[in-house]
């Protein structure tokens, strides 16, 4: 019988449930070799004549745009045009993909073996695939998956190969190209490689942008890129990077294509292969360099089990429809299309709005595992209880079932298996993650890393860091469900901190919190009021608050929900306050990022050891960088233009005002005193 289960979406919307098909089930019954050599006959984009990779590169090299930029660079660098053209050809050769069906078949053979070994199932929403199949024939398609694991890079092409949908060309980091043999296999499987640090290299930007625009104009193949830019080390959504977004949208802005289809894709994992690696990177351990030898050494992961993967292909988004009324495309008729021009503020705002919308669609389409809910609860238990006493299993399971109901009330998609006893679902989830928690004598304990053998006992700092790695892994899995709760949690936090009931005052504080945490969570620009109204509605729906035209008041029995939501945000508030305090007390107003990160981590470690701080998330380098980004947004931190090593000037009085606001010392009606608070 085909392995299918239901996608539990919003309660009461049974018509919106989609059946998910396990695509590995049939693969397990067939030969890997016969699968790799199956007939592959995708339907191409109707408006695009066939185009080879050589032809594509020739069109890019001979474009009027690149010729114009080449002449400019030659003048600026005092080189001959031929020398700059040679450099441009070198960049294009380093960058370009060389998609070949033979290598797609090779990758299909390898992926089939690897995926069957690692995962119990890969569930895909077939309706979404059918929509994609149609979309690829009508318009240029941009595939936009979230990025949580190296597996993301592989699984989309694997699924499309199975279902006769054109294989995408994929934007990848240049380090992958340097992997012996593997880099060339990836290139011939559709990867094109982009340097991480482009900076102000005018020629490189020109080659890259022309290459991407040509891919879109020609409809060569679906184009896949990660709008978040990087793999998320915290397993929650990152603020979108807009460079590639501008490039793929420009052919539409300039009228070179009638429409472009954006397709959000949500990839969810029961267990992420890199869970331990990601936690240690957050603690300051350098990321291993991508290499073929490193890949071979990592093959030991094949002996582990990683549960299931869910891939949700979202509804296609028409750029033409979404941009209507947001951008005046007639302005692009005023200059020749082939001349380089800086994006207008209107175009930048439109690209930002679309990018944030796509990330929100990715969040809405993601599947939340029972383990994610369990982690949200475990992190609200004192660490000492988890490491020494243990949390009674029955308490965790009872509370998880309570949280499941709340998540469904809030519109979450849960991958809670049908027809399996709840106790078995939670037991198997804990067993899958036995590297993080273990059950003993009816209690749950946090697993700490093994202490290395040594003559003398380790220091308290070393013990604390071993606990921190496990705590950050818990936090990462909790982060997979944060998008469901974050808006109601902001309202709950506003009620708790301000002690107010007036809607306008709560909204002012809610908007302030969105500004502070703008790099921690995804908020679509200009939609604060809609977010606030939605959050209040969800809290009313679950019986936590009463809402009138003027007030939001706590309902009798509503404190259980509000307390949980407040505690969900508390690690972020405490960590931000720690960084704010460090900046206010620092001797200098000049901050160097490379010195700031270890200094804040050292301060957090000291406070954790003295029990003055209770969240290990303050040790996370990503969170610390997010604080700096938020302060720049609030104009409390200014990057020094002359700096090449990320140096900033701190406005201590502005940071102090933000600190006082976050702690409730400044009332919500005074938020306008904050710099650039968009309320």
């Amino acid at each position: 019988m085909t392995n299918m289960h239901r996608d539990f979406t919003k309660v009461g919307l049974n018509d919106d449930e989609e059946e998910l098909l396990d695509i590995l089930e049939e693969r397990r019954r067939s030969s890997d070799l016969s699968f790799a050599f199956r007939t592959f006959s995708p339907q191409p984009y109707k408006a695009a004549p066939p185009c080879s990779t050589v032809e594509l590169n020739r069109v890019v090299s001979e474009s009027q745009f690149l010729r114009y930029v080449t002449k400019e660079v030659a003048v600026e660098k005092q080189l001959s045009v031929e020398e700059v053209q040679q450099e441009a050809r070198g960049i294009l050769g380093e960058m370009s993909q060389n998609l070949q069906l033979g290598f797609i078949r090779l990758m299909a053979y390898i992926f089939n073996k690897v995926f069957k070994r690692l995962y119990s199932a890969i569930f895909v929403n077939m309706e979404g695939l059918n929509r994609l199949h149609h979309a690829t024939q009508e318009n240029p398609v941009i595939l936009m998956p979230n990025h949580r694991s190296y597996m993301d890079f592989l699984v989309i092409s694997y699924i499309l190969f199975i279902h006769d949908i054109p294989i995408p060309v994929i934007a990848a980091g240049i380090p992958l190209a340097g992997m012996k043999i593997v880099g060339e296999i990836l290139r011939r499987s559709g990867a094109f490689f982009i340097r991480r640090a482009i900076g102000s290299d005018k020629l490189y930007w020109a080659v890259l942008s022309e290459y991407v625009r040509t891919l879109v104009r020609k409809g060569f193949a679906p184009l896949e890129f990660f709008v978040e830019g990087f793999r998320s080390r915290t397993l929650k959504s990152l603020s979108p990077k807009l460079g590639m977004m501008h490039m793929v949208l420009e052919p539409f802005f300039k009228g070179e294509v009638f429409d472009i289809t954006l397709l959000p894709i949500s990839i969810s994992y029961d267990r992420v292969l890199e869970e331990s690696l990601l936690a240690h990177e957050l603690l300051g351990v350098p990321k291993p360099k991508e290499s073929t030898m490193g890949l071979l050494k990592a093959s030991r992961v094949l002996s582990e089990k990683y549960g299931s993967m869910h891939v949700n292909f979202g509804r296609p988004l028409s750029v033409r429809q979404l941009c209507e009324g947001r951008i005046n495309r007639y302005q692009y008729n005023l200059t020749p299309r082939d001349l380089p021009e800086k994006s207008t503020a209107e175009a930048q705002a439109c690209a930002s709005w679309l990018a944030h919308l796509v990330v929100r669609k990715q969040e809405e389409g993601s599947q939340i595992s029972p383990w994610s809910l369990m982690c949200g609860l475990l992190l609200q238990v004192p660490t000492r209880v988890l490491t020494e006493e243990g949390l009674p299993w029955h308490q965790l399971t009872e509370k998880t079932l309570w949280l499941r109901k709340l998540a469904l009330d809030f519109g979450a998609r849960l991958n809670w298996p049908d027809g399996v006893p709840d106790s078995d679902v939670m037991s198997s989830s804990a067993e899958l993650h036995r590297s993080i928690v273990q059950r003993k004598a009816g209690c749950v304990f946090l697993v700490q890393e093994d202490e290395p053998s040594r003559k003398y006992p380790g220091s308290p700092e070393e013990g604390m860091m071993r606990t921190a790695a496990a705590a950050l892994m818990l936090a990462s899995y909790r982060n997979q469900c944060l998008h469901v709760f974050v808006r109601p949690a902001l309202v709950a936090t506003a009620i708790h901190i301000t002690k107010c009931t007036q809607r306008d005052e709560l909204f002012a504080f809610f908007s302030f919190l969105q500004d502070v945490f703008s790099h921690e969570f995804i908020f679509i620009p200009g939609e604060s009021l809609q977010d606030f109204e939605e959050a209040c509605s969800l809290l009313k729906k679950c019986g936590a608050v009463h809402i009138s035209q003027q007030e939001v008041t706590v309902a009798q029995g509503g404190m259980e929900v509000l307390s949980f939501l407040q505690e969900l945000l508390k690690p972020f508030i405490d960590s931000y306050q720690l960084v704010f305090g460090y900046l206010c007390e620092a001797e200098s107003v000049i901050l160097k990022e490379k010195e700031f990160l270890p200094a804040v981590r050292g301060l957090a470690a000291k406070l954790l050891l003295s029990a003055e701080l209770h969240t290990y998330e303050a040790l996370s380098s990503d969170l610390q960088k997010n604080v700096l980004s938020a302060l720049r947004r609030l104009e409390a931190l200014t990057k020094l233009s002359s700096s090449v090593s990320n140096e900033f000037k701190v406005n201590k009085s502005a940071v102090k005002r933000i600190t006082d606001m976050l702690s409730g010392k400044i009332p919500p009606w005074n938020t306008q005193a904050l710099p650039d608070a968009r309320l």
Side-chain angles (χ1 to χ4, degrees):
M1 188 175 184
T2 304
N3 188 7
M4 304 181 83
H5 75 88
R6 286 203 179 277
D7 161 21
F8 289 98
T9 55
K10 296 181 180 178
V11 174
L13 297 179
N14 295 326
D15 292 340
D16 196 35
E17 293 177 3
E18 287 191 19
E19 286 192 336
L20 306 175
L21 175 68
D22 174 15
I23 60 172
L24 289 185
E25 186 169 340
E26 186 178 342
R27 306 284 80 74
R28 296 187 197 280
R29 296 197 298 261
S30 61
S31 154
D32 296 329
L33 200 58
S34 63
F35 165 69
F37 283 95
R38 64 183 292 277
T39 301
F40 179 61
S41 52
Q43 294 296 313
Y45 171 40
K46 292 177 181 176
C51 175
S52 67
T53 297
V54 172
E55 173 67 13
L56 181 77
N57 289 355
R58 186 190 64 76
V59 170
V60 174
S61 297
E62 296 178 2
S63 69
Q64 290 295 328
F65 171 80
L66 205 52
R67 287 179 180 178
Y68 186 92
V69 174
T70 299
K71 291 176 182 177
E72 280 192 335
V73 172
V75 171
E76 291 168 6
K77 292 186 174 182
Q78 297 183 335
L79 298 171
S80 68
V81 171
E82 290 73 21
E83 287 176 304
V84 179
Q85 286 176 336
Q86 182 64 32
E87 184 182 351
R89 285 192 290 270
I91 292 171
L92 185 60
E94 172 193 84
M95 178 187 301
S96 64
Q97 53 77 36
N98 187 16
L99 187 61
Q100 297 175 15
L101 182 58
F103 282 85
I104 293 297
R105 295 191 183 282
L106 172 63
M107 293 296 273
Y109 177 79
I110 296 170
F111 294 168
N112 213 43
K113 285 188 173 294
V114 170
F115 288 147
K116 288 191 295 184
R117 186 75 177 268
L118 291 177
Y119 299 107
S120 58
I122 297 179
F123 290 106
V124 178
N125 63 324
M126 298 308 296
E127 289 181 25
L129 266 184
N130 292 335
R131 291 190 293 262
L132 171 60
H133 190 276
H134 176 73
T136 55
Q137 300 173 52
E138 300 300 321
N139 296 298
V141 171
I142 313 299
L143 303 176
M144 303 177 73
N146 55 359
H147 198 10
R148 304 292 176 267
S149 167
Y150 284 125
M151 289 292 109
D152 305 335
F153 185 80
L154 312 172
V155 72
I156 303 299
S157 295
Y158 175 74
I159 293 170
L160 300 193
F161 177 76
I162 292 173
H163 293 95
D164 286 332
I165 298 174
I167 301 298
V169 293
I170 310 167
I174 195 68
L176 293 175
M179 296 173 67
K180 292 180 180 177
I181 302 174
V182 174
E184 189 57 31
I185 291 175
L186 292 174
R187 187 187 298 276
R188 297 187 184 209
S189 300
F192 66 96
F193 301 99
I194 303 173
R195 295 176 190 171
R196 289 295 188 201
I198 302 174
S200 57
D201 189 332
K202 186 174 181 179
L203 184 63
Y204 192 92
W205 275 112
V207 175
L208 174 60
S209 59
E210 184 62 18
Y211 186 72
V212 170
R213 290 194 298 261
T214 304
L215 285 169
V216 176
R217 282 195 302 264
K218 289 280 186 182
F220 176 82
L223 191 155
E224 179 184 334
F225 77 96
F226 301 111
V227 69
E228 297 165 291
F230 303 98
R231 181 182 50 154
S232 172
R233 297 188 295 187
T234 59
L235 301 189
K236 64 182 173 64
S237 300
L238 305 179
S239 295
K241 304 295 184 288
L242 302 180
M244 279 287 289
M245 196 71 185
H246 282 296
M247 293 177 201
V248 299
L249 292 175
E250 195 169 354
F252 170 75
F253 289 163
K254 290 187 172 183
E256 296 171 302
V257 294
F258 178 77
D259 197 2
I260 294 172
T261 297
L262 307 179
L263 195 97
I265 303 174
S266 309
I267 307 175
S268 310
Y269 297 91
D270 282 352
R271 183 184 173 198
V272 176
L273 269 73
E274 308 95 324
E275 59 183 12
S276 177
L277 176 68
L278 297 177
H280 285 87
E281 285 181 26
L282 292 173
L283 291 171
V285 177
K287 176 185 174 182
K289 183 181 178 182
E290 287 99 341
S291 66
T292 304
M293 186 57 67
L295 181 64
L296 294 174
K297 288 179 180 178
S299 62
R300 64 177 179 273
V301 303
L302 295 175
S303 63
E304 295 278 334
K305 299 297 181 186
Y306 293 88
S308 62
M309 182 196 307
H310 288 75
V311 183
N312 184 78
F313 290 86
R315 293 190 176 277
L317 304 174
S318 163
V319 170
R320 187 177 189 87
Q321 291 177 9
L322 291 170
C323 289
E324 190 172 348
R326 288 187 172 272
I327 186 166
N328 175 16
R329 294 199 296 154
Y330 294 113
Q331 62 188 307
Y332 290 94
N333 295 330
L334 302 177
T335 55
R337 289 175 178 172
D338 294 324
L339 290 183
E341 56 181 309
K342 191 175 179 181
S343 293
T344 64
E346 186 183 49
Q348 290 175 6
C350 185
S352 176
W353 180 80
L354 281 171
H356 281 83
L357 176 65
V358 167
V359 178
R360 280 293 291 136
K361 294 295 183 183
Q362 291 172 349
E363 290 182 335
E364 291 169 3
S366 64
Q367 294 277 335
I368 294 173
S369 67
W371 175 243
S372 181
L373 300 179
M374 294 165 76
C375 289
L377 296 166
L378 286 169
L379 284 166
Q380 298 190 10
V381 177
T383 306
R384 181 184 55 79
V385 172
L386 293 178
T387 55
E388 299 174 14
E389 304 167 17
L391 176 68
W393 175 253
H394 72 88
Q395 286 187 21
L396 178 60
T397 56
E398 289 170 8
K399 198 70 175 175
T400 301
L401 293 176
W402 170 86
L403 186 54
R404 179 181 68 171
K405 181 181 183 305
L406 184 65
L408 288 170
D409 282 345
F410 284 3
R413 294 174 180 261
L414 298 184
N415 66 354
W416 203 286
D418 230 355
V420 180
D422 292 333
S423 58
D424 291 351
V425 171
M426 290 179 279
S427 293
S428 62
S429 294
E431 175 61 21
L432 183 65
H433 295 276
R434 61 185 179 276
S435 61
I436 306 176
V437 297
Q438 60 180 337
R439 291 172 62 185
K440 291 190 298 185
C443 290
V444 183
F445 292 85
L446 193 65
V447 175
Q448 296 174 286
E449 290 184 326
D450 293 333
E451 188 175 349
S453 56
R454 52 160 68 95
K455 237 181 221 186
Y456 304 102
S459 66
E461 289 81 3
E462 289 175 319
M464 186 268 298
M465 293 303 281
R466 289 199 303 274
T467 302
L472 288 183
M473 283 190 274
L474 280 182
S476 291
Y477 284 110
R478 175 216 57 202
N479 288 345
Q480 291 180 318
C481 71
L482 267 185
H483 65 275
V484 173
F485 301 108
V486 68
R487 286 158 183 77
L490 292 178
V491 173
T493 300
I495 292 171
H496 174 68
I497 292 179
T498 65
K499 314 300 182 192
C500 290
T501 60
Q502 294 297 309
R503 287 182 68 148
D504 57 346
E505 293 174 5
L506 290 174
F507 173 60
F509 199 83
F510 176 92
S511 299
F512 163 72
L513 289 174
Q514 281 196 325
D515 271 339
V516 171
F517 295 121
S518 58
H519 289 267
E520 210 64 61
F521 312 111
I522 299 300
F523 305 114
I524 298 176
E527 297 193 4
S528 288
L529 182 57
Q530 296 96 309
D531 287 342
F532 178 74
E533 296 294 345
E534 177 193 339
C536 289
S537 177
L538 291 173
L539 289 174
K540 180 182 178 181
K541 178 180 179 181
C542 70
V545 300
H546 297 301
I547 300 175
S548 68
Q549 194 168 359
Q550 300 295 330
E551 289 189 313
V552 178
T553 55
V554 179
Q556 186 176 7
M559 280 310 299
E560 183 177 20
V561 170
L562 295 178
S563 296
F564 165 76
L565 294 172
Q566 291 159 20
E567 288 297 316
L568 204 58
L569 280 191
K570 193 172 187 300
F572 298 96
I573 291 175
D574 290 350
S575 300
Y576 273 54
Q577 291 285 40
L578 170 76
V579 177
F580 295 160
Y582 169 84
L583 294 175
C584 288
E585 294 172 15
E587 292 182 7
S588 174
V589 295
I590 303 300
L591 178 150
K592 296 181 180 179
E593 187 176 299
K594 65 180 181 181
E595 297 172 359
F596 162 79
L597 295 175
V600 170
R601 187 178 295 117
L603 174 62
K606 178 182 175 182
L607 295 176
L608 283 164
L609 287 169
S610 65
E612 296 173 72
L613 180 68
H614 302 286
T615 175
Y616 285 86
E617 292 175 67
L619 296 167
S620 165
S621 58
D622 279 16
L623 184 144
Q624 293 157 8
K625 291 176 184 177
N626 286 343
V627 179
L628 297 185
S629 297
L631 290 176
R632 288 186 68 188
R633 174 188 175 92
L634 293 168
E635 297 184 353
L637 201 68
T638 307
K639 186 171 183 179
L640 301 180
S641 57
S642 59
S643 169
V644 293
S645 58
N646 278 1
E647 292 186 358
F648 305 91
K649 184 176 182 181
V650 182
N651 182 338
K652 291 191 176 185
S653 61
V655 175
K656 182 65 168 63
R657 287 199 301 274
I658 296 169
T659 303
D660 290 344
M661 185 65 213
L662 196 54
S663 60
K665 293 179 182 177
I666 297 178
W669 50 87
N670 283 349
T671 54
Q672 286 82 357
L674 288 167
D676 195 35
R678 295 188 306 281
L679 303 173

